[in-house]
Each structure stands twice: as C-alpha cells, then as structure tokens.
Amino acid sequence: MDLVLWRHAEAEDGFPDESRKLTDKGLKQAQKMAQWLKSRIPENTRIIVSPTKRTQQTAAALTTRFETLPQIGPGATPESILTAVNWPYESDTTLVIGHQPTLGQIASLLYIGNDAGFSIRKGSIWWFNYKERNGRGNAILRAVMTPDIA
C-alpha cells in the first residue's frame, strides 16, 4: 500500500474553522502540488478529504473525484485516519488531504514508530509505502515534497 499525506495549503485566518478558505498563495500551493502529484499517483488512487473548506479546495486543484470523510477532519486521531484508509492492508494508493498536527503524528508514527509528531508544512506531501519482507512489515518514506520546490 502507498499512503500519501497532503496537508491543506495556506488558508485564511478566521472563524468558523471549517469555513476557512485558501488564500491566493494557498491556491497556488495547491495547484503546484497537484501538478507534481498528477504525474506520479496512479489513476485509481483513492482520495479521501477532510470536510473543511480549505481541504476541499486543496483537493479540487487535483481532481473532483474524491471522498469526504468527517473522521479525518480537524481533531482526528492518527488511529482514526489509519483505520479509515485501512493502513497497511489496501493494495492500492490512498491520498489523504487533512490537517496538522494529525498528519504529522501519522508521519512520525510510520517513520519512527511513535506519534510525537513531525511538522508538515502547508501544502506539502509525505509519501509512504508499506512492504513486507520475511513476515515483517515496514513503512518506507518514498518522498517529501513542498510546494516551493514542486
């Protein structure tokens, strides 16, 4: 299984949190990352998105074909997201568009084995692959990409 974690791009400050939109810079970040992803993710990638406005706009830069799941919204736990994507048991690629600190906690959990958390920059992706060898599973970090270098 491949799991791509994509943090939403830069959003406006404000309230209510769920309604915050991407800034002009955020729209550009989302478009840059979408272009980078389009040539790399498989056509049948499952795309799961938080219900907030900013994550929906980030996803829309890539495609209109995505699922919205409340259990990956703000305040989600790493476990709830990993359960929602069926990590590591799916055979295909799954792309999750969500929020800090949860995505950073997932990255930390997969990469070093605890959910202390990494800082994932706005608009950035962390791409993991799960491989089994000799009956043992390992999460492998395949790529980290930020919008400013995409």
Side-chain angles (χ1 to χ4, degrees):
M1 174 180 191
D2 279 8
L3 176 62
V4 183
L5 305 173
W6 187 5
R7 182 179 178 193
H8 66 78
E10 181 182 273
E12 302 171 337
D13 291 330
F15 189 81
D17 182 60
E18 295 79 21
S19 300
R20 293 172 42 217
K21 297 179 193 175
L22 295 182
T23 62
D24 288 341
K25 179 181 178 180
L27 290 168
K28 289 175 188 168
Q29 289 174 332
Q31 290 166 354
K32 286 177 99 174
M33 286 309 304
Q35 286 303 315
W36 188 87
L37 284 165
K38 281 179 185 177
S39 64
R40 289 169 176 82
I41 60 172
E43 184 74 26
N44 66 339
T45 297
R46 180 180 181 205
I47 301 170
I48 302 172
V49 184
S50 161
T52 64
K53 181 72 173 173
R54 60 194 179 275
T55 52
Q56 298 283 308
Q57 288 180 296
T58 300
L62 178 64
T63 184
T64 58
R65 187 189 53 81
F66 56 84
E67 302 169 55
T68 300
L69 294 180
Q71 60 265 44
I72 67 163
T77 65
E79 295 77 16
S80 68
I81 293 178
L82 292 173
T83 298
V85 302
N86 199 28
W87 172 268
Y89 306 108
E90 288 296 319
S91 57
D92 295 326
T93 300
T94 300
L95 169 64
V96 174
I97 303 173
H99 307 274
Q100 269 297 93
T102 311
L103 294 183
Q105 291 168 331
I106 293 170
S108 175
L109 185 64
L110 299 181
Y111 194 64
I112 61 172
N114 70 55
D115 66 358
F118 290 142
S119 178
I120 296 181
R121 291 183 61 197
K122 292 174 184 170
S124 298
I125 66 103
W126 285 52
W127 188 324
F128 291 90
N129 176 260
Y130 182 82
K131 295 277 187 198
E132 264 193 47
R133 280 204 177 135
N134 302 324
R136 213 175 133 176
N138 289 311
I140 300 161
L141 181 60
R142 291 188 58 200
V144 174
M145 183 59 61
T146 64
D148 54 330
I149 60 173

